[in-house]
Amino acid sequence: MPTKPKPLVLIVEDETELANVISEHLEAAGMQTQVCNRCALAMRFLKHNFANILLLDLTLPDQNGFAFLEELKREDINIPTIFLTGNDSEISKVKGLELGADDYVTKPFSAPELVARIHAVLRRAEVAHDFNVTKNVKLTDAPFEFNTASVNPTSMEVTFPDGEIVNIGRKEIGILSYLHENPETIITRKNLIHSVWGIHADIRSRSLDQYIVKIRDLFKRKNAPLDNLKTIHGIGYQYEPLVRSNDAS
């Protein structure tokens, strides 16, 4: 049976001794840790690496934790977050949770309590992601029209005009959805990858192109060629929806 990967915990704490103690306890509990003593360093790390959860001090030398969490959201870096702080005021707790934090732990705290809270947040995050088909599509999303076909994220199927229903993969649905939501727009390969796979995905442009080829081949086989999905050489793609006769009238 394959070993479950250890979750990576990013600890953003400028008190070196406390950060080291937290790191030791978490690693003893079967986790991996990365410590940053500044928000700028944590941002740099998250732009290039994946972490399962963020432990964030509220008061840091270069930026407060609230502002840093807001900056992460603006950068489209969504990571489960627990605030670690000596500020136990109700106003501060409410603000942290309203900004999107998953928990708020006040100092001093015990190592077993922190480990238990981390596990609880990770479990909730895992359940939430169960509804994700891709980063931009959820199983609960409504069906949408793409050219002459109907795409259903819930069943992961495409229904063609002849009535045939074909199962397709998650990434194909994510690509179709993003093209559908951004008609007549030149979409860069990088933007499409980040939107479907996520900002930290290690996906090459060639892999994306192969998914596009699969989508084109499927529609061509069903006599619904995607001539209106254009390749913009050196940039990406542009989808121009079909103009139906009732739309033009």
Side-chain angles (χ1 to χ4, degrees):
M1 185 175 180
T3 304
K4 188 174 182 178
K6 296 180 179 181
L8 175 60
V9 183
L10 177 59
I11 304 167
V12 186
E13 169 63 65
D14 65 314
E15 295 182 33
T16 303
E17 185 175 347
L18 176 59
N20 289 338
V21 169
I22 293 172
S23 178
E24 289 173 4
H25 281 297
L26 297 186
E27 291 186 359
M31 305 179 196
Q32 303 177 75
T33 62
Q34 173 70 39
V35 176
C36 295
N37 62 2
R38 297 289 188 276
C39 291
L41 296 176
M43 177 63 77
R44 188 182 308 161
F45 179 85
L46 287 172
K47 282 185 174 181
H48 298 92
N49 303 277
F50 175 80
N52 295 89
I53 190 168
L54 171 65
L55 301 186
L56 180 59
D57 188 14
L58 191 55
T59 306
L60 292 148
D62 60 340
Q63 192 177 23
N64 73 62
F66 293 149
F68 181 60
L69 187 56
E70 290 180 312
E71 185 180 353
L72 288 175
K73 302 297 183 185
R74 288 194 298 271
E75 293 288 334
D76 197 27
I77 299 175
N78 297 299
I79 177 173
T81 301
I82 297 177
F83 277 118
L84 300 180
T85 175
N87 187 343
D88 63 353
S89 74
E90 184 177 359
I91 293 176
S92 182
K93 290 179 181 179
V94 170
K95 181 175 181 180
L97 296 174
E98 286 183 340
L99 285 174
D102 298 86
D103 205 347
Y104 190 108
V105 179
T106 55
K107 304 172 184 176
F109 50 82
S110 69
E113 177 192 5
L114 181 59
V115 169
R117 287 177 179 267
I118 289 173
H119 283 312
V121 170
L122 288 175
R123 283 195 298 270
R124 291 199 298 269
E126 187 174 352
V127 170
H129 289 155
D130 284 347
F131 289 99
N132 285 19
V133 177
T134 59
K135 187 179 185 301
N136 64 318
V137 178
K138 295 183 181 298
L139 287 171
T140 52
D141 287 350
F144 59 91
E145 297 298 314
F146 193 88
N147 274 29
T148 57
S150 176
V151 183
N152 190 335
T154 302
S155 59
M156 297 178 62
E157 296 172 335
V158 178
T159 303
F160 288 93
D162 63 1
E164 184 177 354
I165 299 174
V166 179
N167 291 99
I168 61 172
R170 291 172 177 262
K171 298 303 185 288
E172 288 91 333
I173 288 181
I175 291 168
L176 290 173
S177 177
Y178 193 76
L179 293 171
H180 170 72
E181 293 294 331
N182 295 274
E184 301 179 357
T185 302
I186 295 178
I187 301 168
T188 67
R189 287 180 172 84
K190 181 177 181 180
N191 193 7
L192 186 52
I193 289 171
H194 285 176
S195 299
V196 176
W197 278 263
I199 196 168
H200 298 300
D202 185 21
I203 302 297
R204 301 289 182 258
S205 293
R206 183 176 298 178
S207 297
L208 170 63
D209 292 341
Q210 290 172 349
Y211 278 101
I212 295 290
V213 168
K214 288 175 63 177
I215 291 170
R216 289 188 192 277
D217 286 346
L218 171 61
F219 277 73
K220 186 176 181 180
R221 289 200 308 272
K222 300 307 300 174
N223 295 317
L226 295 179
D227 296 331
N228 53 326
L229 173 55
K230 300 177 181 178
T231 299
I232 310 299
H233 294 290
I235 300 176
Y237 298 95
Q238 183 179 30
Y239 169 61
E240 297 180 355
L242 293 176
V243 178
R244 304 176 188 276
S245 56
N246 59 340
D247 293 335
S249 60

